[in-house]
Amino acid sequence: PTGELAKSSYTIGFFLLVVFGLQGLLFYFRSLLFGRLGLAVVHDLRARLFRSLVGRPVAFHEDHASGELLSRIGADAVLVQDAVSVKISVFLRYLLQVAGGVMMMFYLSVKLTLLSMVVVPLLVLTVTTLSRKLRRLSRAVQEQLGTLTAFAGDSLTNLRTLRAFGAERFAATRF
């Protein structure tokens, strides 16, 4: 009996080693694939955005500070890269996990699964509402950051004029 237990322990250990090794290998390739996809999308997005900005009329550039536009090119592109390279990959993984979990839940208890299917959408609705509020706040912070960057860029670009009028303290206070 002890020999059989040791043999089955080695078999289980080897099986777990293979499963975890395979999981690590698949994680590596998934990260590599989605990382490259994210970089390609961001490269294309930045190029299109730059072409669009360069093609805008001069009046547009007079209304929008260059620092704000540069901030948008950089920060927004990074957000898109994160969405493509990480979030989509994680979403697909979790979608498969949820589908498998729901099937297993139905197998174990139909009543409890149906109850969960009533409660979970209510939770999702609550989280969605809160997410929208956070998104609005995040957009406002991004716009303020663009304005701040534009002001700092304009002040540093025109530092001689700023000093000629003795407006350093005014600029520092406004910043």
Side-chain angles (χ1 to χ4, degrees):
T2 345
E4 290 178 27
L5 181 62
K7 186 177 178 183
S8 67
S9 294
Y10 285 126
T11 304
I12 290 171
F14 179 73
F15 176 74
L16 288 174
L17 186 65
V18 168
V19 167
F20 288 133
L22 186 61
Q23 180 184 12
L25 193 63
L26 290 174
F27 176 78
Y28 169 76
F29 284 116
R30 184 188 76 194
S31 297
L32 184 68
L33 173 72
F34 280 99
R36 286 186 178 180
L37 179 65
L39 288 173
V41 167
V42 165
H43 176 71
D44 185 53
L45 177 68
R46 282 185 175 151
R48 286 181 181 195
L49 187 57
F50 184 75
R51 282 193 301 270
S52 173
L53 288 173
V54 170
R56 297 276 182 165
V58 175
F60 173 82
H61 290 282
E62 289 173 354
D63 292 341
H64 297 85
S66 59
E68 179 183 350
L69 298 175
L70 290 172
S71 175
R72 288 281 185 195
I73 289 174
D76 291 354
V78 168
L79 291 174
V80 170
Q81 180 181 6
D82 181 54
V84 171
S85 63
V86 177
K87 300 222 180 343
I88 291 175
S89 169
V90 170
F91 173 75
L92 292 174
R93 177 179 165 207
Y94 287 157
L95 183 67
L96 291 174
Q97 287 178 339
V98 166
V102 168
M103 287 189 285
M104 186 175 285
M105 286 171 58
F106 267 117
Y107 175 76
L108 294 173
S109 172
V110 174
K111 288 180 183 178
L112 190 57
T113 304
L114 293 175
L115 177 66
S116 296
M117 290 187 162
V118 169
V119 172
V120 168
L122 294 174
L123 291 173
V124 168
L125 182 65
T126 304
V127 168
T128 303
T129 303
L130 292 174
S131 293
R132 286 183 184 149
K133 289 181 181 178
L134 285 174
R135 208 172 297 130
R136 278 192 295 261
L137 288 173
S138 176
R139 194 173 299 126
V141 167
Q142 183 69 30
E143 287 175 8
Q144 287 177 349
L145 181 62
T147 302
L148 181 69
T149 303
F151 177 76
D154 291 344
S155 295
L156 293 175
T157 302
N158 300 309
L159 187 62
R160 288 183 182 184
T161 307
L162 195 71
R163 286 190 177 162
F165 288 101
E168 297 99 332
R169 185 169 290 165
F170 171 74
T173 304
R174 186 167 172 221
F175 184 76

